């Protein structure tokens, strides 16, 4: 038993020194990444139920992106951090509606990750409660399609 414990400790020390990692619990980081992916995929599924982009402002953002790529300047001179985010997504995906939906879903995933991080500072049960709300909230799906710029600011 003692020999087995010594081998585990030696292996852990070897791995930590080999990869220059500190003795840190990576479980919250891994679980946070899982929650980000789960939330993004789940909300993308909700947003992708129609071939059209949903939300009052969705086509405003899509027109901004389209005019930037096709005319070289945006239709409206609105300056926001949301546009470089959507520009990068459109550059990768090359579909206006799909890039808006994926971008909104990624913002929800980032918001869920933020809630998880803030909740962990209080307690695990608080983190669980906040993440559960984030995953099950229809209002968050509505908010991500209506106000992605505001959601980016909250994240």
């Amino acid at each position: 038993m003692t020999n087995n414990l010594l081998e585990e400790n030696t292996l852990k020390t070897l791995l930590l020194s080999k990869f220059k990692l500190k003795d840190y619990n990576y479980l919250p980081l891994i679980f946070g990444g899982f929650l980000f992916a789960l939330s993004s995929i789940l909300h993308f599924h909700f947003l992708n139920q129609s071939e059209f982009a949903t939300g009052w402002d969705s086509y405003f953002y899509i027109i901004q992106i389209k005019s930037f790529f096709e005319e070289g300047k945006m239709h409206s001179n609105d300056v926001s951090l949301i546009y470089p985010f959507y520009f990068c997504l459109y550059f990768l995906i090359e579909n206006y509606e799909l890039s808006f939906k994926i971008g909104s879903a990624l913002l929800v995933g980032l918001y869920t990750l933020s809630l998880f991080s803030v909740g962990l500072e209080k307690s695990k049960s608080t983190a669980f409660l906040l993440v559960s709300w984030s995953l099950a909230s229809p209002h968050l799906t509505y908010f991500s399609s209506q106000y992605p710029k505001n959601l980016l600011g909250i994240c």
Side-chain angles (χ1 to χ4, degrees):
M1 180 81 178
T2 311
N3 198 14
N4 197 13
L5 185 60
L6 182 64
E7 287 177 15
E8 285 180 20
N9 221 4
T10 307
L11 180 61
K12 183 178 179 183
T13 307
L14 179 67
L15 287 173
L16 291 174
S17 64
K18 173 91 173 149
F19 296 108
K20 295 182 174 71
L21 299 173
K22 295 182 180 176
D23 192 11
Y24 181 73
N25 184 7
Y26 289 98
L27 191 58
L29 187 63
I30 293 167
F31 191 63
F34 170 74
L35 289 173
F36 169 79
L38 177 65
S39 181
S40 295
I41 291 168
L42 186 65
H43 283 86
F44 175 72
H45 172 71
F46 296 147
L47 293 170
N48 201 34
Q49 291 181 358
S50 166
E51 66 184 68
F52 303 105
T54 57
W56 287 88
D57 289 344
S58 60
Y59 280 96
F60 171 77
Y61 292 112
I62 291 171
I63 291 296
Q64 292 285 77
I65 297 166
K66 186 175 182 176
S67 64
F68 179 80
F69 280 101
E70 293 181 3
E71 299 170 14
K73 63 183 180 117
M74 292 194 296
H75 182 70
S76 172
N77 291 330
D78 184 27
V79 178
S80 174
L81 291 175
I82 198 76
Y83 296 119
F85 175 67
Y86 282 130
F87 292 161
C88 292
L89 286 173
Y90 175 74
F91 184 76
L92 295 172
I93 299 167
E94 295 183 354
N95 182 323
Y96 298 111
E97 285 85 5
L98 192 59
S99 62
F100 179 80
K101 292 175 187 180
I102 290 174
S104 296
L106 289 174
L107 289 174
V108 172
L110 188 60
Y111 181 70
T112 301
L113 184 61
S114 300
L115 286 179
F116 176 67
S117 175
V118 167
L120 275 182
E121 291 178 5
K122 294 285 185 188
S123 68
K124 288 181 182 177
S125 59
T126 304
F128 177 76
L129 180 66
L130 290 173
V131 166
S132 298
W133 172 83
S134 171
L135 290 174
S137 172
H139 181 72
L140 187 55
T141 305
Y142 169 82
F143 194 78
S144 70
S145 65
Q146 294 287 347
Y147 312 108
K149 184 172 27 174
N150 299 20
L151 188 58
L152 177 66
I154 293 172
C155 294

